[in-house]
Amino acid sequence: MNGTENTDLTADTGIRRLDIPQGGPLDGAGEPGGARTAREARAHLHIADVPAPLPAGPGDEAWAALPEGPVSDEELARLHRLHRPAPGHSALRERLRRTHLLALCGEPGTGRAWTGLALLAACAARTGGGVERLGPGLLLGTPAEGHRFQRGHGYLIELPAGTTGSIDSTGAMTRPEPSPTDSRLDRLRIRLVEHGAFAVVLVPGGPVAERLLGSGRHALPYEPPAADGVLDGHLADLLAEGPAELLELARSTAARPEVAEALGLDELRPGEAALLADHLADHARGRISDARLLAHCRSFAPRQARTWFTVPGRPGTLPAALPELRAAALRIALAVFDGSAHSLTSEAAELLTWELAVTLDPQYAPGRPLFTARPGAAPATARAVCGDGVEDVGEASVPVRAVWFQGRRLAPAVLCEVWDGHHNLRGPVTRWLRTLCDDPRPQVWVRAAVAAGVLCARDYLYGLVELLLPLVRSDSPVQRMAAATALAEASRAPEVRPAVDGLLRTWARGEDERERETTALAHGYGLAAGSVPASLAELGRIACADGGVTTSYGAVRLLAGTEPEAVLDGLTQWLRDPRRPRRDLALLTALRAVTTRTSYLWGLAEVPELEPYAAWPLATALLAARPGCAPQLSELLRAALTWARSAGAAEDALVGWIRRAARDERQLAVLCGFLPRLAQDGDEPLDVRAATRIREVLEAL
């Protein structure tokens, strides 16, 4: 330690005395709840390989639109072999036989088309008729009276998503098309009864389905069969002519953990199960390698995302387009808020709906629907479910109704599909994320910042100018903290890190206070400079510009990260540095470690050893989780207690530290094992006044 520092110096010497740093740069707004939020954001968005869907190949017909016309005997025979009845199949068949018309409401890929064909085939078999597929025009345009139905036949009619309007070949908006209503279905049913025919109408999830289900006259919600049964049935059929060992190999491969991890979906839909069976059969026959099989599996979630955002017949006028925009906004909001409170996700989705709407038609101000037909219907269209969750508020946790995707790969797949595949979506999504990054609740801005970083890593040129720089140059400290978080997150990508590091070096040497503050905050995550020691060195270089206020916050956040020993090494070396800003930074960081709760110092990397001590001050948590940190920590605190500039603040901080530990036996035990080291180790004895005050506090406990 520098020998010129001692406690005999008085205020008359002109030495600036250090105070205990109070809070962080956000005045507490970004601290309580940030740790849990950052951990969940990492879990849902940090998946390295998010490939685009592979080119069409064998088995991809399960994803294609079904052709119109008669269903061949060969296809009906295959249907008879492979179809797995959905729950309530017998009741559906009886209702169709009795009413002649049934509208099944469900998402594409759930097996509703096969169920519809199976129902129709059963009815037609009793009357000697055939089965035919019809286009949606019968319900959307051509009156049912104009169609000739054959007696005893069964007809499958599939309505595409977005049937409330269209855009013509020139790109001009057309008037909204009529949507299927109960009255149209009534007229269709009358014609079917007259001819002794049957029809199953497939209705995708959305406003039309909700309206039809609400009336309860023709529509029923569709529940798909279990995917395991569909998968096994398809495998048995595909490998029926081969040795029995091939089927067992395919089944065992399907159960491998790496296959489930590559799929990243909680439950396959029947269409996906059929497609996976094709890939497993090819793998069992030796036609594709393990690596190729896993690549196919990793394409399932991106394929679902691409399907969501490339709907044929997309409506052309805003009132007609709003249902689709709202569904798209919900899926994007879920990608950012996956696992978060349903209320936060829903509000974020409505904000994004507004951005999408004014982008499509700036002359129109969209409203919000006040009521929904069925609670939970909207998450189902986004392949999501609701359940019990928990959010941190201050030092407490509260129960919330949470919502999450049914698959860990869906969130990154949606973000990447939106960002990479639909350029005109970038503007509204960027404005939306910037708005969310100004929300003082960490449950909102942290998730938005992490998502912004993920997107910037995919296109740094666009993201920096359109997303990050407006945040950095705003007057909102929350937005600057969000910008720092996003920059750190983007620097995870090796190809982007040099650009982020260079940008922060430029800002550190510049005169803009907001850019320097963002730099200090970004280096607190230990990612942008390439290593934790490098980030600490950058904080030391800019410490003179802010008096150690923001830089000490970045340094103590590094101390709560993955390499506290490296941080403590650097801080103790700075005690002997001739440059006062670096000595002050070391002292202020030590004071923050004693006074700041560990959970307030969350980062973008996992530190599981500190999680059991999240409610403790960081210094206590480090002593418990990393006992090897004790010598360096004691040297830092001893310097703070014995140097005139920091002695008063250090005494107050240490007294508060001890008093807080006295309320928890575990903390007190850790501290009692550390205090003798603090008083006795080192070349310099503890200041008498400080030692006396500590002794008095201990005696009063």
Side-chain angles (χ1 to χ4, degrees):
M1 285 182 280
N2 192 311
T4 63
E5 297 283 357
N6 60 73
T7 57
D8 296 329
L9 294 175
T10 67
D12 295 336
T13 61
I15 293 179
R16 180 176 68 88
R17 297 191 180 277
L18 300 178
D19 295 323
I20 299 176
Q22 299 297 320
L26 304 184
D27 295 326
E31 296 169 348
R36 181 187 296 273
T37 304
R39 183 168 61 250
E40 291 178 351
R42 290 194 305 266
H44 293 297
L45 289 180
H46 291 182
I47 298 179
D49 48 349
V50 186
L54 297 177
D60 278 3
E61 65 272 7
W63 297 85
L66 299 175
E68 297 181 26
V71 179
S72 66
D73 292 340
E74 180 183 358
E75 186 174 351
L76 290 176
R78 184 169 183 264
L79 172 71
H80 181 73
R81 293 197 316 270
L82 297 178
H83 177 252
R84 293 296 181 268
H89 184 82
S90 297
L92 292 175
R93 184 176 59 221
E94 178 59 25
R95 178 162 175 170
L96 177 61
R97 186 192 64 78
R98 187 178 70 255
T99 64
H100 291 257
L101 175 64
L102 185 63
L104 288 182
C105 300
E107 296 300 309
T110 55
R112 58 193 183 133
W114 270 41
T115 293
L117 288 176
L119 294 172
L120 293 169
C123 290
R126 298 172 55 137
T127 58
V131 180
E132 186 175 347
R133 297 189 186 96
L134 298 179
L138 187 66
L139 287 172
L140 302 180
T142 306
E145 292 80 355
H147 185 82
R148 295 179 61 86
F149 293 106
Q150 298 186 53
R151 183 163 298 278
H153 269 47
Y155 297 91
L156 184 72
I157 305 170
E158 182 174 5
L159 299 181
T163 56
T164 56
S166 63
I167 299 178
D168 65 22
S169 59
T170 66
M173 295 187 192
T174 67
R175 62 179 180 84
E177 295 177 352
S179 61
T181 61
D182 278 309
S183 61
R184 281 178 169 261
L185 291 175
D186 286 338
R187 290 194 294 271
L188 174 60
R189 179 178 176 275
I190 292 172
R191 295 288 294 166
L192 292 168
V193 172
E194 290 175 351
H195 291 80
F198 306 88
V200 173
V201 180
L202 305 180
V203 184
V208 173
E210 295 307 306
R211 186 169 61 249
L212 294 175
L213 288 170
S215 71
R217 290 161 60 185
H218 303 290
L220 288 175
Y222 175 71
E223 182 179 351
D228 290 345
V230 175
L231 176 64
D232 196 67
H234 277 258
L235 283 176
D237 187 68
L238 288 167
L239 299 173
E241 298 180 0
E245 292 80 5
L246 290 184
L247 179 58
E248 291 306 313
L249 174 60
R251 287 171 172 167
S252 63
T253 302
R256 283 163 49 183
E258 56 267 34
V259 171
E261 193 280 332
L263 288 168
L265 300 170
D266 295 346
E267 177 74 17
L268 293 179
R269 289 177 169 175
E272 294 165 337
L275 183 56
L276 177 60
D278 287 325
H279 300 321
L280 290 170
D282 284 344
H283 176 267
R285 297 188 188 105
R287 296 176 181 173
I288 61 174
S289 64
D290 275 8
R292 186 64 175 173
L293 172 64
L294 295 180
H296 278 296
C297 292
R298 283 190 290 268
S299 75
F300 275 48
R303 193 187 303 273
Q304 172 67 89
R306 178 162 294 183
T307 301
W308 277 337
F309 294 100
T310 54
V311 179
R314 193 170 294 277
T317 61
L318 185 55
L322 269 177
E324 277 197 51
L325 296 184
R326 186 161 278 112
L330 176 60
R331 290 159 181 158
I332 298 170
L334 267 168
V336 175
F337 289 88
D338 196 7
S340 185
H342 182 270
S343 58
L344 297 181
T345 308
S346 298
E347 178 60 22
E350 288 295 342
L351 293 175
L352 181 54
T353 298
W354 190 89
E355 289 287 356
L356 297 176
V358 297
T359 301
L360 180 63
D361 186 355
Q363 305 299 319
Y364 187 88
R368 297 186 181 189
L370 296 179
F371 303 98
T372 57
R374 289 189 304 150
T381 63
R383 204 164 179 174
V385 293
C386 294
D388 296 333
V390 175
E391 292 284 2
D392 291 343
V393 180
E395 297 190 4
S397 297
V398 296
V400 297
R401 181 171 179 253
V403 60
W404 55 85
F405 276 126
Q406 292 180 291
R408 60 187 296 268
R409 288 189 178 271
L410 286 172
V414 166
L415 278 187
C416 294
E417 171 63 23
V418 167
W419 199 246
D420 298 343
H422 305 274
H423 179 80
N424 287 341
L425 277 176
R426 287 189 175 191
V429 168
T430 293
R431 294 191 296 272
W432 173 67
L433 286 175
R434 292 204 307 260
T435 299
L436 297 178
C437 285
D438 198 25
D439 192 304
R441 295 170 294 182
Q443 293 85 357
V444 177
W445 77 256
V446 172
R447 286 181 176 274
V450 172
V454 170
L455 296 179
C456 287
R458 297 189 74 84
D459 189 342
Y460 182 72
L461 286 177
Y462 184 95
L464 175 65
V465 174
E466 300 294 337
L467 185 50
L468 297 185
L469 290 183
L471 295 176
V472 173
R473 293 164 182 168
S474 75
D475 294 329
S476 166
V478 179
Q479 286 191 319
R480 290 197 293 278
M481 186 70 214
T485 305
L487 281 165
E489 174 61 36
S491 66
R492 286 183 188 276
E495 62 275 14
V496 172
R497 186 182 303 124
V500 175
D501 187 29
L503 177 70
L504 295 181
R505 288 177 183 273
T506 300
W507 286 353
R509 295 191 299 267
E511 299 297 326
D512 191 305
E513 182 179 351
R514 294 169 298 184
E515 292 179 351
R516 287 199 307 270
E517 180 188 47
T518 305
T519 299
L521 295 172
H523 281 303
Y525 293 106
L527 297 169
S531 69
V532 170
S535 288
L536 185 64
E538 290 300 315
L539 290 172
R541 291 188 182 96
I542 60 178
C544 60
D546 74 336
V549 176
T550 305
T551 47
S552 65
Y553 184 82
V556 78
R557 175 167 272 177
L558 285 177
L559 189 56
T562 57
E563 302 177 44
E565 296 86 358
V567 178
L568 288 171
D569 280 341
L571 295 176
T572 52
Q573 291 175 15
W574 284 349
L575 293 176
R576 291 172 277 277
D577 196 296
R579 292 162 289 192
R580 174 167 292 178
R582 297 201 177 191
R583 299 202 305 271
D584 286 352
L585 179 56
L587 296 172
L588 289 170
T589 303
L591 295 179
R592 281 192 182 274
V594 168
T595 58
T596 307
R597 179 178 171 175
T598 300
S599 63
Y600 290 3
L601 299 168
W602 53 268
L604 295 175
E606 296 288 348
V607 191
E609 59 269 27
L610 290 181
E611 289 184 9
Y613 315 105
W616 294 12
L618 176 61
T620 321
L622 285 175
L623 291 172
R626 302 262 191 141
C629 292
Q632 297 157 306
L633 191 57
S634 66
E635 183 176 353
L636 282 170
L637 292 177
R638 192 180 307 110
L641 285 164
T642 56
W643 289 6
R645 198 162 61 261
S646 57
E651 290 174 20
D652 292 339
L654 198 63
V655 168
W657 189 30
I658 296 171
R659 284 178 173 163
R660 179 168 183 172
R663 299 192 294 267
D664 182 341
E665 291 185 2
R666 293 193 306 153
Q667 290 190 54
L668 189 59
V670 172
L671 213 55
C672 287
F674 173 73
L675 289 176
R677 176 188 294 274
L678 177 64
Q680 297 173 9
D681 286 2
D683 299 329
E684 299 182 23
L686 193 63
D687 172 61
V688 175
R689 185 181 61 174
T692 301
R693 188 169 182 191
I694 294 171
R695 184 176 63 252
E696 291 173 349
V697 171
L698 290 173
E699 291 173 351
L701 294 176

